[in-house]
Amino acid sequence: REKGSLEDNLLELLLDNELEEESFVWIVDLLVTESLPFDREQLSNEATFYSELFETFDQFNHVGTALTPLYKHQLGRKYLSELTEQEQKEVLANAEKLLVSLLYQE
């Protein structure tokens, strides 16, 4: 089964019978994200590249600098607020997961 059709089917199920309700929430979009868990230590032991990659992520503390072009963009500064420290950590964690999943495809 294709991912797109799974999302469509789930969206259809969620909206089923909602039209008959007096008050309801209409779901416009649904995003299903799948990711495989990985063990940083195991990947680091597999290849030096991964240990250097994880070390770079651990030492990276310039999220604000990296996002500066977004905040300087006309639309960006209008709609974006500065990220909290927690949000910056989440951005880095998501970037790490995305990069590892792209690099470690079977």
Side-chain angles (χ1 to χ4, degrees):
R1 203 172 224 176
E2 293 179 27
K3 185 176 177 183
S5 67
L6 175 63
E7 289 174 0
D8 291 341
N9 290 340
L10 185 54
L11 185 58
E12 188 177 320
L13 267 172
L14 291 170
L15 294 175
D16 221 14
N17 300 323
E18 288 294 328
L19 292 175
E20 299 167 5
E21 299 293 325
E22 184 176 317
S23 177
F24 62 89
V25 174
W26 187 263
I27 299 171
V28 176
D29 192 20
L30 179 67
L31 175 64
V32 177
T33 306
E34 298 177 41
S35 64
L36 297 173
F38 62 90
D39 183 350
R40 289 179 102 210
E41 188 173 326
Q42 180 183 350
L43 287 176
S44 294
N45 291 335
E46 266 183 43
T48 307
F49 172 78
Y50 285 110
S51 62
E52 291 175 5
L53 177 70
F54 296 137
E55 186 177 322
T56 301
F57 269 104
D58 291 341
Q59 294 176 359
F60 188 78
N61 58 2
H62 306 290
V63 175
T65 305
L67 296 176
T68 297
L70 287 175
Y71 294 119
K72 287 186 176 182
H73 188 274
Q74 182 180 4
L75 290 175
R77 73 175 161 256
K78 182 177 179 182
Y79 295 107
L80 296 175
S81 58
E82 292 289 328
L83 295 178
T84 64
E85 189 174 324
Q86 179 62 33
E87 290 170 329
Q88 289 181 15
K89 288 178 183 179
E90 289 174 14
V91 166
L92 281 175
N94 290 335
E96 180 182 287
K97 288 177 188 174
L98 176 61
L99 187 55
V100 169
S101 71
L102 291 172
L103 291 170
Y104 200 76
Q105 293 178 355
E106 293 182 29

